[in-house]
Amino acid sequence: MSIVFLNGDFMPMEDAKISPMDRGFLFGDGIYEVIPSYDAHLIGFAPHIERMNQGLKLIGIDFKWDKTKWSEVCNTLIKKNGAANLGIYLHISRGADSKRFHAYTENVPPTVFAFTFAIPAANLADKSTAKAYKVSTTEDLRWQRCNIKSTALLGNVMHFQHGFSRGYNETILFNSNNEMTEGSACNAYIVKDGVVITPPLDNQILPGITRFMLLDILDKHSDIKVEQRIVKMDELFAADEVWLTSSSKEIAPVVQIDGKPVGDGEIGDLWLAAQTLYSAYKADY
Ligand code: PDD
């Protein structure tokens, strides 16, 4: 039975109840995080909490717990739910008002919810066991504040469904200038002539924690060249390798886009090098 955290208490999932007037339910008015944990070790805990606090500030929810408090919640959930490979989901909504009114609430306590879910085992840096992703592409029709990790995910859900309903693992998005933005639930990269290229941080993409860690690891521990710049869609289709990153995927190699092979259609050597480094250093974060 899954044990969850709701507004200060740990309880079985089926006992966790919130009001239908919760603004998270009515408006998607909240912020969330997903932190991976392998064998009870949280990866990227501090940057995840920092991004969450930043998101709360951006949407004007006056709520801040320090890292010690969040660490207690996460580690208690891990203990109560078994220490296997878990995603820890943290969610803060603006709370339950007595009326449905668009303006931000005053004097309403935020709703704080956390639960765990199973994630795949950490990636092995091994081409023979890696999951090779096949993806579709579609125009990015989400809002213009994709840097905020909002719980209002219908745009992402519809884009994910675009690929999923066609038998693909993910969907890579592009804006009206034919520039790659990100995946529906992950950041995206191309590799060309030995250079890793990924779009710069702006309002079109989420500042992924896995992205931050990967770029930092490549910078500190390798000679692999990285460029953060606009990636045109024709560059995506001409890339030697394509990768996706997220907290639950780590670095995912893409071998097919819209039915066409990426490079030679096999998982690339630079993916192997990057995943090897990521596996070696991710616990530093
Ligand atoms: N998704 N971009 C989008 C749109 C995302 O939803 C995610 C993560 C990322 C990668 O961020 P990070 O490396 O911090 O996980 C990029 C999570 C895992 C989800 O919604 O389940």
Side-chain angles (χ1 to χ4, degrees):
M1 179 206 311
S2 172
I3 300 295
V4 306
F5 174 88
L6 180 64
N7 294 330
D9 297 313
F10 293 91
M11 62 191 77
M13 176 77 95
E14 44 277 33
D15 294 345
K17 306 272 191 278
I18 61 162
S19 164
M21 295 306 287
D22 195 284
R23 288 177 62 104
F25 182 66
L26 291 178
F27 292 120
D29 184 355
I31 293 291
Y32 78 105
E33 277 298 328
V34 175
I35 310 178
S37 163
Y38 300 108
D39 297 325
H41 185 89
L42 292 158
I43 304 295
F45 174 74
H48 275 285
I49 299 301
E50 273 153 32
R51 181 175 65 185
M52 186 165 68
N53 287 335
Q54 178 64 13
L56 290 168
K57 210 163 130 198
L58 284 169
I59 70 166
I61 292 184
D62 185 16
F63 179 87
K64 196 169 177 185
W65 277 351
D66 64 16
K67 291 192 186 95
T68 314
K69 176 74 185 160
W70 278 120
S71 160
E72 258 170 48
V73 171
C74 293
N75 286 311
T76 306
L77 284 175
I78 292 169
K79 230 174 262 153
K80 287 183 184 290
N81 289 289
N85 310 312
L86 294 174
I88 320 290
Y89 177 92
L90 310 177
H91 173 128
I92 297 159
S93 83
R94 204 180 301 276
D97 205 353
S98 53
K99 56 189 182 304
R100 181 181 177 276
F101 179 52
H102 285 61
Y104 290 178
T105 49
E106 279 169 25
N107 305 318
V108 170
T111 301
V112 184
F113 176 54
F115 72 99
T116 63
F117 60 98
I119 57 170
N123 287 357
L124 295 175
D126 178 350
K127 288 188 191 180
S128 67
T129 56
K131 174 173 167 181
Y133 277 65
K134 297 181 181 175
V135 306
S136 67
T137 63
T138 195
E139 186 176 358
D140 194 341
L141 296 175
R142 301 172 298 165
W143 69 335
Q144 293 173 38
R145 291 176 174 148
C146 292
N147 53 312
I148 300 176
K149 200 163 172 62
S150 158
T151 55
L153 283 176
L154 187 55
N156 301 65
V157 164
M158 290 175 76
H159 283 329
F160 186 85
Q161 189 65 20
H162 178 275
F164 187 76
S165 63
R166 290 163 175 77
Y168 294 114
N169 308 107
E170 245 293 356
T171 309
I172 290 182
L173 307 173
F174 56 89
N175 64 20
S176 56
N177 295 326
N178 250 343
E179 299 160 358
M180 179 173 84
T181 55
E182 61 178 346
S184 70
C186 50
N187 292 115
Y189 309 71
I190 66 166
V191 175
K192 190 67 185 174
D193 299 328
V195 181
V196 179
I197 308 162
T198 195
L201 294 183
D202 62 15
N203 64 322
Q204 300 180 89
I205 69 170
L206 187 79
I209 302 304
T210 320
R211 177 189 184 281
F212 155 70
M213 288 166 52
L214 173 62
L215 299 192
D216 199 50
I217 289 169
L218 292 181
D219 181 45
K220 288 193 174 125
H221 302 288
S222 84
D223 296 328
I224 296 170
K225 204 172 157 227
V226 176
E227 288 176 9
Q228 298 185 56
R229 65 158 174 84
I230 287 169
V231 176
K232 290 293 218 179
M233 285 305 274
D234 51 4
E235 292 184 275
L236 174 69
F237 286 103
D240 301 328
E241 298 184 29
V242 173
W243 309 339
L244 304 172
T245 63
S246 78
S247 294
S248 51
K249 292 182 186 68
E250 301 199 323
I251 312 169
V254 177
V255 297
Q256 212 184 83
I257 303 178
D258 291 339
K260 297 178 209 88
V262 174
D264 60 7
E266 304 289 329
I267 294 175
D269 291 338
L270 226 66
W271 172 82
L272 184 61
Q275 181 65 56
T276 302
L277 289 159
Y278 190 81
S279 301
Y281 294 106
K282 68 183 178 193
D284 293 354
Y285 294 84

